[in-house]
Amino acid sequence: MKKGLLIVVSGPSGCGKGTVLGDITRELELSYSVSATTRSMREGEIDGVNYHYMSKESFEKLIAEDKVLEYTEYCGNYYGTLREEVENRRNQGQDVLLEIEVVGAANVKRLCPDAVLIFIAPPSVQELERRLRKRGTETDEVIAERVSQAEREIRCSSGYDYIIVNGELEKAVNDVKSVIIAERISAQNKEEIISEVLNS
Ligand code: 5GP
């Protein structure tokens, strides 16, 4: 069984990652890795779908048990990728999608050098702030913190394999899809293809 791809997508809060990835996940049948977090649930989120929500103590227990592939502290909360969301699925040939921030992405690349890193950037910092305000889920203080966090993240994005600017949604969706389709083709075994073509 061919191992599935590990696709890591990052982008600052409010850059539209969720919207860009929504249909692609279904259309390309990606297996979305549900992270663990200690942050509180936002309105409309569902435990086990958006995140596995847990206390700081439970999260630290998972770390101690080596059940977390990578984790980081972001805006005062823990966020982490659970090994069980990634390893078995990849071994079964499924392409796994991680939606994580830049420190976690760099750690994943170190642990799994074959991971494909995609950064989704807003067209400008000003536009990002406008989108965060429009979402209306955070206080002014949290928005200011997220904007300066976003600037730090954008500065880190040169280490990614691809940077996709989400100015026009349809174009961003097509770009991300093209990357994943190309990576699937590139991951195919060339010798197998050649012998199939020659022997069929
Ligand atoms: P939010 O609170 O907006 O849902 O997420 C905040 C940030 O944490 C986002 O950039 C998101 O991609 C990132 N994040 C979510 N899950 C994980 C994870 O498992 N590991 C890491 N390192 N970051 C994560």
Side-chain angles (χ1 to χ4, degrees):
M1 171 72 74
K2 183 122 195 44
K3 203 172 170 185
L5 295 174
L6 181 56
I7 301 153
V8 180
V9 178
S10 307
S13 183
C15 72
K17 288 193 297 284
T19 318
V20 170
L21 294 176
D23 288 345
I24 295 177
T25 309
R26 269 189 305 276
E27 208 178 307
L28 298 185
E29 295 180 346
L30 305 176
S31 173
Y32 184 82
S33 159
V34 179
S35 294
T37 186
T38 60
R39 89 145 156 75
S40 38
M41 213 186 283
R42 289 193 195 123
E43 214 184 303
E45 290 183 338
I46 301 168
D47 190 18
V49 174
N50 301 91
Y51 285 105
H52 299 289
Y53 300 89
M54 60 185 68
S55 64
K56 197 165 177 245
E57 292 68 36
S58 306
F59 196 102
E60 284 169 350
K61 188 163 175 277
L62 290 179
I63 298 171
E65 290 168 352
D66 198 28
K67 291 186 173 158
V68 181
L69 176 69
E70 65 72 37
Y71 73 96
T72 194
E73 214 177 321
Y74 181 94
C75 295
N77 289 300
Y78 279 137
Y79 292 84
T81 305
L82 301 174
R83 283 188 194 282
E84 64 174 22
E85 296 274 334
V86 177
E87 289 169 359
N88 292 345
R89 296 187 198 170
R90 282 191 80 195
N91 289 335
Q92 286 161 10
Q94 292 178 41
D95 295 334
V96 175
L97 173 68
L98 304 186
E99 196 187 318
I100 64 178
E101 52 65 65
V102 292
V103 177
N107 285 333
V108 169
K109 189 76 174 179
R110 200 169 36 79
L111 295 165
C112 316
D114 61 344
V116 179
L117 266 55
I118 305 174
F119 188 87
I120 301 188
S124 68
V125 175
Q126 207 182 8
E127 171 61 15
L128 180 87
E129 187 170 347
R130 197 190 64 77
R131 289 181 192 173
L132 283 172
R133 289 199 185 283
K134 199 171 148 214
R135 186 158 85 181
T137 49
E138 271 103 0
T139 60
D140 279 359
E141 196 191 339
V142 172
I143 288 174
E145 192 184 354
R146 295 224 160 189
V147 168
S148 56
Q149 177 71 28
E151 288 171 335
R152 283 195 290 276
E153 293 190 32
I154 293 164
R155 282 194 191 98
C156 290
S157 63
S158 60
Y160 279 66
D161 298 305
Y162 302 91
I163 300 179
I164 290 169
V165 175
N166 181 20
E168 197 193 309
L169 180 64
E170 202 180 326
K171 182 175 185 309
V173 168
N174 274 331
D175 286 353
V176 174
K177 257 166 64 177
S178 307
V179 164
I180 297 171
I181 292 167
E183 290 288 341
R184 277 183 175 168
I185 295 170
S186 144
Q188 286 172 358
N189 184 322
K190 291 185 201 112
E191 295 310 320
E192 239 171 56
I193 299 173
I194 293 166
S195 99
E196 239 180 70
V197 171
L198 292 177
N199 300 316
S200 58

